[in-house]
Amino acid sequence: ISFKKVIELFYNVVSPYSWFGFEIMCRYKNVWNIDLKLCPAFIAGVMQASGNKPPGLLPNKYKYMSKDLERSAEYYDVPFNPPADPLDVMFRKGSLPAMRFVTAVQEKEKGGDKLVEQVSRELWRRIWGEDKDITEPASLAEAAKKAGMSDEEIKDALEMATSDKIKNKLKGSTQRAVEYGAFGFPLLVCHVNGNPELFFGSDRLELLAHCIGEKWLGPRPDRAAAKL
Amino acid sequence: ISFKKVIELFYNVVSPYSWFGFEIMCRYKNVWNIDLKLCPAFIAGVMQASGNKPPGLLPNKYKYMSKDLERSAEYYDVPFNPPADPLDVMFRKGSLPAMRFVTAVQEKEKGGDKLVEQVSRELWRRIWGEDKDITEPASLAEAAKKAGMSDEEIKDALEMATSDKIKNKLKGSTQRAVEYGAFGFPLLVCHVNGNPELFFGSDRLELLAHCIGEKWLGPRPDRAAAKL
């Protein structure tokens, strides 16, 4: 019997720091003795429920974040390339159809989460790598196709995405994050000795490693391990 | 000739994350090829100038921060022990006399910054380790005594702390942080190839190391180095 530590990763594809946290954790899931649960959720719901304001709305924070995202992406080795108008992408266009679609993909996927991982990645790549839309069904279909879904699977998932079942599933996941105490994403919830330990952001993963008794090997553990 | 990279550390003793950043950087100043400049500054001035709100005022953030401070302190090996009423300590009592005193100590100190480092540490230890006052002259004197200052030096520094010269020096340091783009502390400004690179908080020091071409050895580089 293996006692893998369960780590829930709450994320939203409109959040660039979520992307970094997601990629690093996806690398570590094969290195650490963990069971990484991908939890697509709706960030705007979390911000509203917690009363938090996006950091990007304060001029000095926005300037800092722009620079911090760039150099973090380089160090974390994520193909980040900001859209021309990040505030428009994040706050006007938003991510509700995209996150419902990801939730539908997850609902459909049996025996693993490879597809939900890959579809999420392709959505981030569109918005935070190629300045492409993620609000239209055709855009979601394009991402899903790149992720390896068939036309029929995509049609199914697009249909499911507008059903009450999927809407409620996304609401439920968002609500669960709020109940843990979320005020933004990414949120990592580590279950250690029966207690949920929260880590907000992509910058506390060394501390997370320490808390779950694993070794931090930097942002590319796959390559670090290969070098040993 | 040695080309040490200059790193300015803007901090305030009312800010617990400043304490963590300060202690880690003080450990690394003997490990990395850097010239660490201690810049005591006034956090309330930075918050006001940037329009930022303290994270502790949002319930979910406050809860998260309390937990995050505790486990960070343990991992960073800083003798942190929160006061009974952190909001009172941070926002009602504040740190203006303390930061003016630290500024006076820095102004008086010749040929180094051992004293300003030690006095700052003793003030953090009082407020964030022992739940003791740092607003009264007697409190400042007690911290300074522990830091190794003589009674006469302390009397001098206390007098200086209320002078226009010192008030203006603290204002100037705070203004400089704002001009760099500060919206909170600690703020680390690394001068790399003539450009200031900003790092906010105590959780980006691995990335900072990468940016200045040094190796991140975790929060206790002194002990890590000893093990090699």
Side-chain angles (χ1 to χ4, degrees), chain A residues 43-218:
Chain A
I43 195 165
V46 162
M47 299 303 272
Q48 198 182 359
S50 65
N52 199 9
K53 294 266 176 297
L57 300 183
L58 206 76
N60 271 1
K61 274 197 187 173
Y62 183 79
K63 228 169 97 185
Y64 177 78
M65 256 183 65
S66 305
K67 177 75 190 178
D68 185 59
L69 284 168
E70 239 174 84
R71 66 187 177 199
S72 297
E74 184 252 313
Y75 183 56
Y76 296 159
D77 199 17
V78 173
F80 173 84
N81 184 30
D85 188 347
L87 295 179
D88 181 61
V89 163
M90 282 190 283
F91 304 123
R92 199 183 60 81
K93 291 189 159 179
S95 59
L96 193 53
M99 294 316 292
R100 283 180 179 159
F101 183 69
V102 171
T103 304
V105 171
Q106 189 175 47
E107 180 71 18
K108 277 171 60 74
E109 190 172 18
K110 300 290 170 226
D113 57 6
K114 280 203 175 124
L115 212 50
V116 71
E117 175 184 332
Q118 204 46 45
V119 169
S120 302
R121 181 173 289 124
E122 291 302 333
L123 289 168
W124 267 306
R125 211 196 295 270
R126 286 182 73 87
I127 175 171
W128 287 106
E130 300 163 356
D131 202 356
K132 286 183 180 159
D133 174 76
I134 60 158
T135 66
E136 299 297 328
S139 310
L140 301 174
E142 227 175 280
K145 190 135 193 156
K146 274 204 173 174
M149 286 171 73
S150 71
D151 289 343
E152 200 177 341
E153 285 173 324
I154 294 171
K155 192 169 160 278
D156 268 12
L158 281 171
E159 263 180 41
M160 269 181 83
T162 60
S163 69
D164 281 349
K165 185 180 175 185
I166 292 301
K167 286 180 185 175
N168 287 332
K169 198 184 167 193
L170 181 62
K171 265 186 209 161
S173 169
T174 307
Q175 185 54 33
R176 211 149 46 82
V178 170
E179 279 162 17
Y180 277 131
F183 49 85
F185 289 154
L187 178 71
L188 287 143
V189 181
C190 299
H191 296 273
V192 183
N193 303 324
N195 292 316
E197 286 268 352
L198 275 61
F199 297 87
F200 168 63
S202 57
D203 47 19
R204 263 161 178 65
L205 302 180
E206 180 181 346
L207 186 58
L208 182 152
H210 175 72
C211 283
I212 62 169
E214 295 280 359
K215 205 170 152 50
W216 175 248
L217 300 163

Side-chain angles (χ1 to χ4, degrees), chain A residues 17 50-52 58 60-61 64 67-68 71-72 74-75 178 181-183 197-200 203-204 206-207 210-211 216 218-219, chain B residues 17 50-52 58 60-61 64 67-68 71-72 74-75 178 181-183 197-200 203-204 206-207 210-211 216 218-219:
Chain A
Y17 287 113
S50 65
N52 199 9
L58 206 76
N60 271 1
K61 274 197 187 173
Y64 177 78
K67 177 75 190 178
D68 185 59
R71 66 187 177 199
S72 297
E74 184 252 313
Y75 183 56
V178 170
F183 49 85
E197 286 268 352
L198 275 61
F199 297 87
F200 168 63
D203 47 19
R204 263 161 178 65
E206 180 181 346
L207 186 58
H210 175 72
C211 283
W216 175 248
Chain B
Y17 287 112
S50 65
N52 199 11
L58 206 76
N60 271 2
K61 274 198 187 170
Y64 177 78
K67 177 75 190 178
D68 185 58
R71 67 187 176 200
S72 297
E74 184 252 313
Y75 184 56
V178 169
F183 49 86
E197 286 267 353
L198 274 61
F199 296 87
F200 168 65
D203 46 21
R204 264 162 178 64
E206 181 181 344
L207 186 58
H210 176 73
C211 282
W216 175 248

Side-chain angles (χ1 to χ4, degrees), chain B residues 6-217:
Chain B
V6 170
I7 301 183
E8 296 176 271
L9 166 54
F10 292 91
Y11 69 93
N12 188 298
V13 297
V14 89
S15 146
Y17 287 112
S18 284
W19 191 13
F20 302 163
F22 172 92
E23 292 296 356
I24 300 173
M25 290 307 296
C26 284
R27 291 167 198 160
Y28 271 100
K29 74 178 171 183
N30 300 315
V31 176
W32 291 339
N33 191 32
I34 59 172
D35 180 8
L36 182 68
K37 307 259 189 220
L38 298 181
C39 308
F42 188 49
I43 194 165
V46 162
M47 299 303 271
Q48 199 182 359
S50 65
N52 199 11
K53 293 267 175 300
L57 300 183
L58 206 76
N60 271 2
K61 274 198 187 170
Y62 182 79
K63 226 169 100 184
Y64 177 78
M65 257 183 65
S66 306
K67 177 75 190 178
D68 185 58
L69 284 169
E70 238 173 85
R71 67 187 176 200
S72 297
E74 184 252 313
Y75 184 56
Y76 296 158
D77 200 16
V78 173
F80 173 85
N81 184 30
D85 188 348
L87 296 178
D88 180 61
V89 163
M90 282 189 282
F91 304 123
R92 199 183 61 80
K93 290 189 161 180
S95 59
L96 193 53
M99 294 316 292
R100 282 180 179 159
F101 183 69
V102 171
T103 304
V105 170
Q106 189 175 47
E107 180 71 17
K108 278 171 61 73
E109 190 172 17
K110 302 288 170 227
D113 57 5
K114 280 206 175 123
L115 212 50
V116 71
E117 175 184 332
Q118 203 47 44
V119 169
S120 302
R121 180 173 291 124
E122 291 301 334
L123 289 168
W124 266 306
R125 211 197 295 268
R126 284 182 75 86
I127 175 171
W128 287 106
E130 300 164 354
D131 202 355
K132 287 184 180 160
D133 175 77
I134 60 158
T135 65
E136 300 297 328
S139 310
L140 302 174
E142 227 174 280
K145 189 133 196 160
K146 274 204 174 176
M149 286 172 72
S150 71
D151 290 342
E152 199 177 340
E153 286 173 323
I154 293 172
K155 193 169 160 278
D156 269 12
L158 280 172
E159 262 179 42
M160 271 181 83
T162 60
S163 69
D164 281 350
K165 183 178 176 189
I166 291 302
K167 287 180 184 174
N168 287 332
K169 198 184 168 195
L170 181 63
K171 265 186 208 160
S173 170
T174 307
Q175 185 54 33
R176 211 149 46 81
V178 169
E179 278 162 18
Y180 277 131
F183 49 86
F185 289 153
L187 177 71
L188 286 143
V189 182
C190 299
H191 295 272
V192 183
N193 303 322
N195 292 316
E197 286 267 353
L198 274 61
F199 296 87
F200 168 65
S202 57
D203 46 21
R204 264 162 178 64
L205 302 180
E206 181 181 344
L207 186 58
L208 181 151
H210 176 73
C211 282
I212 62 170
E214 295 280 0
K215 205 169 152 51
W216 175 248
L217 300 163

